[in-house]
């Protein structure tokens, strides 16, 4: 009874921590529900806690030394080299928009630690991703060349093709060895090959994830700089208009020579417009405002002109009627008594 209680009190061992965290990562990756769901995020948090405890335990046990070669590491201990890669993968699964940039940087650091460790032990042939220091050196050295970017793009494309081919080969070989290793039926050589294949598989995954992380970090930083620029622009628009001023070398020169013209502007164009609009001194849609007297005089003139026009028409009509009458009544038409 006492032995059972002591077993329950004992903390989990390193193999249990590693296997549980790896199982949680597999469940998160194959889950059909959204990554931001409460159930998935609980698994992510639990997996990160287990991996953190496993990393602390690994450093205390001092299983790996930079002075030893890959052949000197025990076959059953090779899997613990994958701890930083698992930490990076679970860190990317965290969902928090306000801390997304921090999560990306932490995941990149974990992936880069894993790749550095694998390169130190010569697990596979690959190039480490560029850091801030060596990327700045490469950019300064490549400015004098005309086609460094095209060459780099071509090499990256070829590297992606090779990684894809290697990934397919590694996955096929892992599927063939998995059942034998998990059932403890494989010998030491096959167990070692199994974990080395896992290490090489995670090398390809880390390289791809770091490339995606760098692109997302660039987008997020550009978005933040755009927000800062828009905020600064809006604050500038809220400032009151500046008063007119002159530039002089000193006060004495301004007193002697003045501004060079009669006076400074006392108001802006908008102030002048508002002032005249307030007193009704502005034109109304291009037609000047008329007083009542001017309107009355104009009405009288229009009436007189209309009356004169009617008189002229009446006179003209009478003249036409008289001409028509003379045409039909010749001279002497009504006086026939004195005719011989």
């Amino acid at each position: 009874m006492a032995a059972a209680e002591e077993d329950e009190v004992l903390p989990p061992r390193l193999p249990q921590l590693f296997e549980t965290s790896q199982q949680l990562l597999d469940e998160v990756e194959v889950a059909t529900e959204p990554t931001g769901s409460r159930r998935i995020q609980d698994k992510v948090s639990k997996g990160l806690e287990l991996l953190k405890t496993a990393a602390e335990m690994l450093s205390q046990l001092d299983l790996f030394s930079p002075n030893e070669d890959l052949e000197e590491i025990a076959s059953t201990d090779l899997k613990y080299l994958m701890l930083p890669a698992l930490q990076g993968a679970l860190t990317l699964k965290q969902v928090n928009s306000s801390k997304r940039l921090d999560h990306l940087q932490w995941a990149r650091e974990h992936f880069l630690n894993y790749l550095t460790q694998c390169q130190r032990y010569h697990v596979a042939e690959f190039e480490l991703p560029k850091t801030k220091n060596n990327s700045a050196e490469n950019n300064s050295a490549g400015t004098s060349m005309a086609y460094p970017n095209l060459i780099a793009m071509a090499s990256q494309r070829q590297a992606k093709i090779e990684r894809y081919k290697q990934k397919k080969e590694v996955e096929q070989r892992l599927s063939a060895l998995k059942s034998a290793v998990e059932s403890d039926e494989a010998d030491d050589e096959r167990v070692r090959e199994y974990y080395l294949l896992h290490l090489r598989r995670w090398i390809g995954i880390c390289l791809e994830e770091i490339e995606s992380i760098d692109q997302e970090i660039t987008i997020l930083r550009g978005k933040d700089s755009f927000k800062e620029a828009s905020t600064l622009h809006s604050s500038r628009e809220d400032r009151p208009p500046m008063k007119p001023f002159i530039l002089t070398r000193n006060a004495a020169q301004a007193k002697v020579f003045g501004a060079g013209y009669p006076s400074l502007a006392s108001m802006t164009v908008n102030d002048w417009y508002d002032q005249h609009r307030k007193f009704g001194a502005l034109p109304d849609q291009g037609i000047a405002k008329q007083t009542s007297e001017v309107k009355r005089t104009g009405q009288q003139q229009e009436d007189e002109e209309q009356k004169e026009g009617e008189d002229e028409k009446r006179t003209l009509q009478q003249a036409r009627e008289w001409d028509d009458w003379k045409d039909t009544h010749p001279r002497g038409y009504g006086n026939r008594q004195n005719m011989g």
Side-chain angles (χ1 to χ4, degrees), residues 117-262:
Q117 184 176 246
C118 290
Q119 192 178 56
R120 184 172 64 244
Y121 286 114
H122 304 285
V123 177
E125 293 291 335
F126 64 94
E127 292 184 2
L128 284 175
K130 295 179 181 179
T131 58
K132 294 182 180 179
N133 296 329
N134 59 22
S135 62
E137 294 176 358
N138 293 334
N139 290 336
S140 61
T143 52
S144 59
M145 299 178 64
Y147 307 100
N149 293 332
L150 296 178
I151 297 174
M153 291 171 62
S155 62
Q156 289 176 2
R157 181 176 180 276
Q158 188 63 29
K160 287 182 179 180
I161 295 174
E162 294 296 331
R163 285 202 303 266
Y164 180 78
K165 293 179 179 178
Q166 293 175 3
K167 181 180 178 182
K168 291 298 182 182
E169 295 176 358
V170 168
E171 289 178 352
Q172 291 177 359
R173 185 59 180 164
L174 282 173
S175 61
L177 295 173
K178 183 177 179 180
S179 60
V181 173
E182 291 181 352
S183 61
D184 294 334
E185 296 178 357
D187 55 4
D188 184 74
E189 183 178 355
R190 299 179 69 183
V191 171
R192 190 174 190 84
E193 181 185 1
Y194 179 75
Y195 288 125
L196 286 176
L197 289 173
H198 267 296
L199 293 175
R200 291 164 187 162
R201 172 178 172 270
W202 273 106
I203 288 174
I205 294 175
C206 291
L207 291 173
E208 294 177 357
E209 292 293 349
I210 287 179
E211 185 176 354
S212 301
I213 287 171
D214 291 340
Q215 295 176 358
E216 188 172 352
I217 287 176
T218 303
I219 294 173
L220 290 177
R221 287 177 176 172
K223 185 178 179 181
D224 294 338
S225 61
F226 177 76
K227 288 182 179 179
E228 292 177 359
S230 61
T231 304
L232 181 61
H233 181 68
S234 61
S235 62
R236 288 181 178 178
E237 290 180 351
D238 295 339
R239 294 179 182 176
M242 296 180 63
K243 295 182 179 180
F245 62 93
I246 60 173
L247 297 175
T248 55
R249 292 184 179 179
N250 48 45
Q253 181 180 357
K255 291 180 180 179
V256 174
F257 297 104
Y261 40 86

